[in-house]
Amino acid sequence: MFPVSSLRIIRSSRRVLYSSTPPEEGTSFFKIMDCDYKFTLDTHKLQTRYLQLQRSLHPDNFSQKSVKEQEFSESQSALVNKAYKTLLKPLTRGLYMLELEGMRLEEGTDSGADSDFLMELMEINEALDEAQTPEQANKIGKDTKGKLADLTEQIDAALRKGELHTAKALLTKMKYHANIEEKVKEKLSEFM
């Protein structure tokens, strides 16, 4: 794949010409999206950059171009989509940052989670299952959003200090709370 940073847009009177250079191996999503490598991002700037890139890579711009340039447009558009989706949400952004540092969360293992935390999650899930009104589900959702906001701040601090193991443990907690946030949305849709 060609990194988007290698796409040069040359304006010539009324039309836009596209040219590409060989890809740089390992271009990070932060570079593709022109973002600073940090956990807290300006999501408005990220969205603006995403829209700019997608406009420039739109298939209509390449319909009269060679097959190679059309394939380039398609692959770059897919890469931009993946970069945007990854960097947009704190959880996926944090996991990606850990991955760039050579760390991953293991799927399906609770071995690192303490029993008090797991008990708290179980109680929240039970309360959500038993919620009889949208107000009850919304309260759980509001509490979960607060916990996610606190975790976001803690993860940001840990990553700025280079405390990757702490960030990893906090991202594990964030993953569980993000899951509860999705369950709240599902529960609320049941009331509609």
Side-chain angles (χ1 to χ4, degrees):
M1 277 194 264
F2 297 94
V4 173
S5 59
S6 69
L7 178 68
R8 293 191 315 254
I9 303 171
I10 304 163
R11 301 208 181 270
S12 171
S13 58
R14 288 187 179 184
R15 56 190 201 140
V16 179
L17 305 171
Y18 297 86
S19 66
S20 62
T21 57
E24 296 173 32
E25 284 296 316
T27 301
S28 81
F29 292 163
F30 290 93
K31 185 173 181 180
I32 291 168
M33 300 307 290
D34 194 26
C35 293
D36 294 331
Y37 180 74
K38 60 183 186 175
F39 184 68
T40 54
L41 289 181
D42 178 347
T43 54
H44 179 68
K45 179 183 173 188
L46 177 67
Q47 185 176 30
T48 300
R49 176 69 174 156
Y50 170 73
L51 293 173
Q52 287 172 340
L53 290 170
Q54 288 300 24
R55 268 192 301 274
S56 68
L57 293 167
H58 196 277
D60 289 349
N61 295 328
F62 291 83
S63 63
Q64 302 299 313
K65 303 292 181 185
S66 70
V67 172
K68 184 177 180 181
E69 287 174 302
Q70 289 175 13
E71 289 172 353
F72 171 80
S73 166
E74 189 178 313
S75 68
Q76 289 306 282
S77 181
L79 181 62
V80 167
N81 282 336
K82 185 175 181 183
Y84 177 71
K85 287 176 82 172
T86 300
L87 298 181
L88 184 61
K89 294 192 177 191
L91 177 60
T92 53
R93 184 183 325 125
L95 293 173
Y96 177 68
M97 291 177 78
L98 281 183
E99 188 178 310
L100 290 176
E101 300 296 331
M103 296 182 81
R104 289 181 179 263
L105 291 186
E106 289 77 30
E107 289 294 319
T109 59
D110 296 333
S111 59
D114 67 76
S115 58
D116 291 339
F117 175 68
L118 294 175
M119 184 62 76
E120 175 191 347
L121 291 173
M122 193 169 74
E123 290 170 4
I124 293 169
N125 278 307
E126 285 175 5
L128 185 58
D129 286 342
E130 295 169 3
Q132 299 294 313
T133 66
E135 292 76 22
Q136 291 172 327
N138 273 324
K139 173 154 181 14
I140 295 168
K142 185 178 177 183
D143 293 345
T144 301
K145 281 188 190 299
K147 289 177 183 175
L148 286 169
D150 290 343
L151 285 166
T152 298
E153 288 179 19
Q154 293 174 39
I155 293 164
D156 183 48
L159 287 171
R160 276 188 280 115
K161 293 176 186 173
E163 297 171 352
L164 298 179
H165 290 285
T166 300
K168 182 178 178 181
L170 292 167
L171 281 162
T172 299
K173 287 184 176 188
M174 179 178 266
K175 185 176 174 182
Y176 283 108
H177 285 292
N179 187 32
I180 290 172
E181 185 177 44
E182 289 304 311
K183 288 180 180 179
V184 168
K185 290 176 188 175
E186 290 172 16
K187 184 70 169 187
L188 288 170
S189 71
E190 292 174 15
F191 291 116
M192 295 184 171

